[in-house]
Amino acid sequence: MSLNILIVGAGVCGPALATLLMHANPGHNITVVERAPSLRVAGQQLDVKMQGLPILKKMGLHDTIKPLLVAETGLQFMDTKGNSLAEFGVTRDGKRNYSLSTDREIMRNDLVNMLYEASLKRREEIEKLSGPRKTKGSLKYEFGKSLTELSQDDHGVDVKFSSGETGQYDLVIAADGQGSRTRRLTWGVEASAAAFHPLGIHAAYYSIPRAEGEGGMAKWFNAPGSRSVMIRNGDRPMTQVYLFARKNAGLFRQAYREPVAKQKEAFRQVFAGAGWEVDRFLKGMDECDDFYAHEIGQIKLDPLYKGRVVLVGDAGFCPSPFTGMGTTLSLIGAYVLAGELGRHKDDIGSALKAYSEVVRAPVDEYQRLAPSLLSGIFPSSRLGVWLLQNTAWVLSILKVDQLIHKALPADSSDGKWPIPEYPELNLPA
């Protein structure tokens, strides 16, 4: 049965899901709404690995993504004088991280644009193949629009948009990120808030002009007070800046309720005088136009649906940036949801139940984080910073990263969780 489907969010997950749904059933009427006025292409590097790679291959996009990958060559640990203390190579072949850098990094804007264009191309193919029969079904993107109200019964979901328009859908899919408004409208404010499990880390991301000598390797710097800074750009003209802090939670949480200028002031206050080139990064922060800050955490919710509303990607199971698995989990979620909807035909309830059960294994696996790891990379004292730097130096000298890479099984790019086969998706590969 063809469905009238609303997808909320046009980031990575939304366009990928729209493409997969059209492969499964060209007759679906799919509307993707995005609260931003256009595609949100700002953002930093993303990892696409493990099951994410074969899923893109099944979609016929493996060769498309190759020329878009960032040429990052590894990671350096820096001291306050700008000296490199330790160097580690990239994690290769799409395997799960043992390093903060992989050979399957892609800028968020490149990935979002690729998936968006793939969805439009799929719709064009459907129109051409249908010929004079004019296959029913549609795909449309609506920007500058968000949900304000939502109610549902056994027959569908009624929604009201910020534009004042209303609509009724057979299925609403929330792909609107960690702070999902759709989740809040459906599960309620308290249940939605309880699904967020903070990791005690606050982060800011933005880009500044690339300086001479930057490029190739990402650089990581620790400062006392549980502060860390990372920069990276690979072969790109802009340098990405990442600021991470494990203290001053009250200051940051208050700032998130304020305009961007206040958020920048909070990070400037915490990171001033940290050392290395941080003062230059803070100056660049004042002039950037892509600043984004938030509290890092994980979203844990089970089941992932309520009635005819279902969560995918970060809206339902954000693993946090420190796992490096957010993009892969989003692709897994999109693939399984589209597959189960295709398999269960017109039985939406059974499809959503199966989806929630099937993705539970990879979600649980990739949300796993060792608390000691996070505390270890955010030392609070000067002694702790010294110990971390010297530990990194020893591991670098012993080439531990290369030994681990050799020890990993050749097929570890697919992960422990086997990707289900869904012939109902009618994928090209």
Side-chain angles (χ1 to χ4, degrees):
M1 184 180 72
S2 298
L3 300 174
N4 191 23
I5 299 172
L6 175 66
I7 299 175
V8 186
V12 171
C13 199
L17 181 55
T19 305
L20 290 162
L21 288 169
M22 286 187 290
H23 276 290
N25 187 342
H28 287 322
N29 292 298
I30 302 170
T31 301
V32 185
V33 297
E34 168 57 54
R35 66 176 182 176
S38 60
L39 278 180
R40 286 208 265 185
V41 294
Q44 314 299 314
Q45 284 176 218
L46 302 175
D47 296 330
V48 183
K49 53 183 179 290
M50 305 292 278
Q51 293 90 351
L53 293 170
I55 288 173
L56 289 177
K57 187 174 183 179
K58 288 175 181 290
M59 295 173 67
L61 296 173
H62 189 256
D63 291 337
T64 307
I65 198 175
K66 283 183 179 179
L68 302 176
L69 297 176
V70 176
E72 190 168 87
T73 56
L75 173 72
Q76 292 177 312
F77 277 76
M78 312 301 293
D79 69 10
T80 190
K81 296 180 180 179
N83 300 312
S84 175
L85 299 170
E87 295 186 3
F88 299 94
V90 296
T91 302
R92 297 192 179 279
D93 306 321
K95 297 174 180 177
R96 190 170 184 183
N97 278 16
Y98 60 82
S99 168
L100 286 175
S101 180
T102 80
D103 65 345
R104 306 298 170 92
E105 306 268 351
I106 184 172
M107 296 304 298
R108 186 181 186 278
N109 66 311
D110 287 333
L111 183 59
V112 170
N113 275 316
M114 183 190 78
L115 293 170
Y116 172 70
E117 293 296 334
S119 68
L120 298 180
K121 181 181 178 182
R122 178 56 188 159
R123 191 64 229 172
E124 290 176 2
E125 291 171 349
I126 292 170
E127 298 295 339
K128 288 179 181 178
L129 289 171
S130 66
R133 292 184 293 121
K134 294 298 179 184
T135 298
K136 294 180 181 180
S138 62
L139 169 69
K140 59 181 178 180
Y141 284 86
E142 298 182 356
F143 296 96
K145 196 172 182 179
S146 60
L147 269 65
T148 57
E149 295 179 24
L150 183 152
S151 61
Q152 60 176 314
D153 56 27
D154 293 338
H155 304 289
V157 186
D158 294 305
V159 303
K160 184 175 182 180
F161 297 100
S162 54
S163 61
E165 300 169 278
T166 59
Q168 186 177 59
Y169 301 90
D170 298 309
L171 178 65
V172 172
I173 303 172
D176 47 350
Q178 174 181 306
S180 172
R181 178 180 293 184
T182 312
R183 186 182 68 235
R184 192 162 62 248
L185 289 172
T186 306
W187 272 261
V189 175
E190 289 187 8
S192 180
F196 177 69
H197 295 256
L199 297 180
I201 302 168
H202 297 265
Y205 318 90
Y206 57 95
S207 301
I208 63 175
R210 177 173 175 164
E212 185 177 353
E214 289 179 350
M217 282 203 162
K219 295 177 172 62
W220 181 277
F221 170 73
N222 287 95
S226 299
R227 297 171 294 173
S228 296
V229 179
M230 184 169 70
I231 63 168
R232 62 200 316 183
N233 55 24
D235 54 352
R236 303 308 160 99
M238 298 295 285
T239 292
Q240 307 157 57
V241 180
Y242 303 67
L243 305 179
F244 301 111
R246 289 199 76 186
K247 294 184 178 180
N248 305 103
L251 172 68
F252 290 125
R253 287 172 182 161
Q254 176 60 39
Y256 298 146
R257 303 188 185 100
E258 306 286 344
V260 168
K262 290 289 187 182
Q263 297 175 35
K264 289 183 177 181
E265 177 57 36
F267 279 89
R268 187 184 305 108
Q269 178 181 330
V270 171
F271 281 86
W276 187 34
E277 298 186 47
V278 175
D279 286 345
R280 176 170 73 87
F281 304 151
L282 295 179
K283 184 177 184 299
M285 180 178 67
D286 293 334
E287 301 165 0
C288 76
D289 59 4
D290 62 347
F291 178 91
Y292 174 70
H294 71 139
E295 182 171 8
I296 292 178
Q298 298 183 326
I299 299 297
K300 297 185 178 184
L301 198 62
D302 190 23
L304 292 166
Y305 66 97
K306 190 171 186 179
R308 289 172 174 248
V309 180
V310 61
L311 307 173
V312 290
D314 283 354
F317 38 79
C318 174
S320 93
F322 288 102
T323 66
M325 298 305 297
T327 304
T328 292
L329 273 180
S330 289
L331 292 172
I332 287 174
Y335 174 80
V336 173
L337 178 56
E340 292 298 338
L341 285 168
R343 179 164 293 175
H344 288 83
K345 310 300 182 185
D346 58 347
D347 190 347
I348 294 177
S350 295
L352 299 188
K353 182 175 184 294
Y355 155 74
S356 187
E357 292 173 350
V358 171
V359 299
R360 181 51 48 195
V363 167
D364 288 346
E365 179 184 350
Y366 294 145
Q367 283 193 331
R368 202 170 296 128
L369 266 175
S372 58
L373 173 65
L374 293 180
S375 59
I377 62 174
F378 292 100
S380 59
S381 66
R382 292 187 181 277
L383 175 60
V385 171
W386 181 86
L387 289 172
L388 174 61
Q389 291 175 340
N390 279 273
T391 299
W393 175 78
V394 171
L395 294 176
S396 176
I397 291 296
L398 296 177
K399 300 186 182 302
V400 171
D401 58 325
Q402 296 180 25
L403 295 174
I404 294 175
H405 188 274
K406 290 178 180 178
L408 290 173
D411 62 351
S412 64
S413 60
D414 290 341
K416 296 179 181 178
W417 178 75
I419 302 172
E421 293 296 330
Y422 290 110
E424 299 85 356
L425 286 177
N426 307 306
L427 293 174

